[in-house]
Amino acid sequence: MILGDRQVRDRDGNRYTLRLSVDVQSAILNDGNVETSVSAIRHVDDGEDIALTALVRLESFERRIAISLPEQGPIYIDIEYFEGFAEREGGEVDPLDDVEAGDALEQAAQDLLAGAGVDEAIEAAIQRMPVPEPAFGCLIKAGVSTTVGQLIRCHNRHRRIEQRGNRAWQIVKCLGVNAPGMTIKATLRTLGCWLTLGIV
């Protein structure tokens, strides 16, 4: 199931698509793991598109996330630290809750600020990913970091569900609810990365 599909252009007019997806069937049947993919596609005029896909798998009961690129071993993120993140921050409103209403752009901007502690910790792992040229790298890393952040938020919300298939299904639904904000957040991160590199 496609969670989001967004096109962006760099300053030279090159077109890219960022696609976030989740494998609904495997989440229910695959021992409670939730498998997602992040695809960065560069559209080539009069030529074949170039694509790179990262797989991001939440192993909720093992309390870790595995990130894999083609022909490379996975990078693991231990999510135990992030469990109960909001309680450590002392806020009454849990910033890790799903966004079930409201404007997706506004929520994405709020999440970038409210989730800064989570996101900074995630970025260290994401930056180790070897990727091709910078524009492409910005796109795939923005999509992966956004997906990882939302998977952690969804895991935190549903981590007390003991039945594997049910927990996975609730996490998939949580991703679906938050899909518009995820797509916008990943796009904003891509543009921020491009701005830093002077690509836009």
Side-chain angles (χ1 to χ4, degrees):
M1 174 177 82
I2 294 177
L3 295 169
D5 213 13
R6 193 130 181 133
Q7 283 203 3
V8 289
R9 290 179 183 264
D10 64 18
R11 70 176 176 197
D12 297 324
N14 297 311
R15 293 181 303 117
Y16 298 84
T17 296
L18 178 64
R19 180 170 298 136
L20 308 177
S21 306
V22 62
D23 187 338
V24 177
Q25 184 175 2
S26 77
I28 298 167
L29 301 177
N30 194 14
D31 207 19
N33 295 333
V34 178
E35 297 182 357
T36 65
S37 63
V38 177
S39 297
I41 304 159
R42 181 174 180 172
H43 303 286
V44 179
D45 293 335
D46 301 323
E48 189 174 335
D49 291 347
I50 302 166
L52 176 65
T53 298
L55 300 178
V56 183
R57 184 178 65 248
L58 170 64
E59 300 172 356
S60 184
F61 285 83
E62 288 74 25
R63 298 159 83 183
R64 67 181 186 179
I65 291 177
I67 305 166
S68 303
L69 286 170
E71 300 178 10
Q72 295 174 21
I75 296 170
Y76 289 100
I77 298 176
D78 181 358
I79 61 175
E80 184 176 359
Y81 166 78
F82 301 108
E83 293 176 349
F85 185 82
E87 290 87 342
R88 280 200 296 278
E89 295 298 303
E92 289 184 22
V93 177
D94 186 352
L96 305 176
D97 274 355
D98 299 342
V99 181
E100 301 205 18
D103 179 67
L105 178 58
E106 180 181 336
Q107 187 59 48
Q110 289 175 0
D111 284 350
L112 283 171
L113 297 174
V118 174
D119 294 336
E120 286 173 12
I122 293 166
E123 288 302 319
I126 304 303
Q127 292 310 315
R128 295 193 327 236
M129 291 172 51
V131 292
E133 52 97 3
F136 219 48
C138 285
L139 198 65
I140 197 79
K141 287 181 178 181
V144 167
S145 63
T146 298
T147 301
V148 168
Q150 191 59 55
L151 280 169
I152 289 172
R153 289 172 173 86
C154 292
H155 164 81
N156 280 352
R157 182 172 181 120
H158 301 292
R159 73 181 189 271
R160 292 183 177 86
I161 298 174
E162 294 183 4
Q163 201 275 333
R164 287 181 175 264
N166 187 27
R167 185 192 292 185
W169 175 240
Q170 293 304 319
I171 290 171
V172 167
K173 290 198 312 187
C174 172
L175 289 173
V177 166
N178 287 281
M182 289 172 66
T183 308
I184 293 170
K185 190 187 302 186
T187 303
L188 293 174
R189 284 185 172 150
T190 299
L191 296 175
C193 180
W194 284 358
L195 189 61
T196 301
L197 296 174
I199 296 172
V200 292

